Amino acid sequence: MASSDTYRIDVPASTQQLSVVRDFVTNHARTYGFGESDIEEIRLAVDEAMTNVIKHAYQYDESKTVYVTLGKNKTEFWVAIQDSGEAFDIEKYQEPDVSERIKQRKKGGVGVFLIRKLMDKVEYSRKNSHNEIRMTKNL
Amino acid sequence: MSSFNVQIRHEQEIQILELYGELDAHTAPDLEERIKKLIDEEKYFIIVNFTSLDYISSAGLGVFMAYIEDVRTLGGDIKLTNMKPSVYNVFDLLGFPTLYDILDDEKQAAQRFKSEFDK
């Protein structure tokens, strides 16, 4: 397998597909030699990113598609999730105060915070009406 | 599709929820329904046993975030037990151990409730 190989799956924007994408990413991460705790972190980060796409970019419209691509080079493993929905403005993002959110009975809003904690690098971009979040873990 | 199941039993006034499988944005609404139903039935002393829960995302944690204040305001609590390290790690990353009672097992949680009843 060439180190520049990339793999992709396209799935409907449905929460039913979260486990499919988790399995896809977990299986590849495992072949790249990551230990269990790194695999758990990658799996969770990807789940959080895809959940945000389904919820915010597509607002639960299951007719839309989520594009998941992954690959690695000599030093890094990366997963990119693309969508054609509403853009996420990372500039406006504020780190959540979990204790305050609990007081307000909020059901979450901590996904981006987790992704940033779990991965080594997180990049957002928008090109040709597609949003991309690219998450990288060092090998 | 993620598999998830909740089993509920009770020991005196304490409700014990056992979680099985994977808790994500797809399955979290199932748990939310169960907890809402307990609150509607005025059952506010809740232990959630995570022994058989293999995975949790923030959508799962969100259920606990949304209802803990209500349950505590009504004089009860939701205590969490028996987490696998991978599941505990997610709670820990978000600072939950200072906000929730996370205990080793049901016995500890039941004792904690009893000492609170005695106050």
Side-chain angles (χ1 to χ4, degrees), chain A residues 5-6 19 22 24 35-36 38-39 42 47 49 53 58 71-72 79-81 103 107 111 124 126 129 134:
Chain A
D5 279 355
T6 61
S19 62
R22 286 201 301 269
F24 169 72
E36 276 310 306
D38 280 337
I39 290 170
I42 294 164
D47 179 320
V53 166
Y58 287 145
K72 72 156 186 138
V79 184
I81 297 181
K103 281 196 194 109
K107 238 183 267 176
Y124 293 87
R126 186 168 170 90
S129 315
R134 190 182 171 98

Side-chain angles (χ1 to χ4, degrees), chain A residues 104-119:
Chain A
Q104 295 166 355
R105 292 143 172 88
K106 300 268 190 198
K107 238 183 267 176
V110 295
V112 173
F113 175 77
L114 275 178
I115 296 166
R116 289 178 157 193
K117 284 231 170 195
L118 298 164
M119 301 300 280

Side-chain angles (χ1 to χ4, degrees), chain B residues 42-89:
Chain B
E42 302 181 1
K43 294 168 176 166
Y44 308 133
F45 306 107
I46 301 167
I47 295 174
V48 182
N49 184 326
F50 284 74
T51 301
S52 303
L53 193 82
D54 300 317
Y55 175 80
I56 192 164
S57 72
S58 72
L61 270 72
V63 178
F64 301 106
M65 291 172 67
Y67 293 98
I68 192 82
E69 281 289 311
D70 287 341
V71 171
R72 285 181 178 162
T73 305
L74 293 162
D77 197 14
I78 303 175
K79 300 190 190 295
L80 316 176
T81 74
N82 299 80
M83 283 183 196
K84 292 188 168 119
S86 60
V87 170
Y88 179 80
N89 187 37

Side-chain angles (χ1 to χ4, degrees), chain A residues 94-102 110, chain B residues 65:
Chain A
Q94 286 185 320
E95 212 167 88
D97 178 337
V98 176
S99 149
E100 197 50 44
R101 295 193 75 81
I102 287 170
V110 295
Chain B
M65 291 172 67

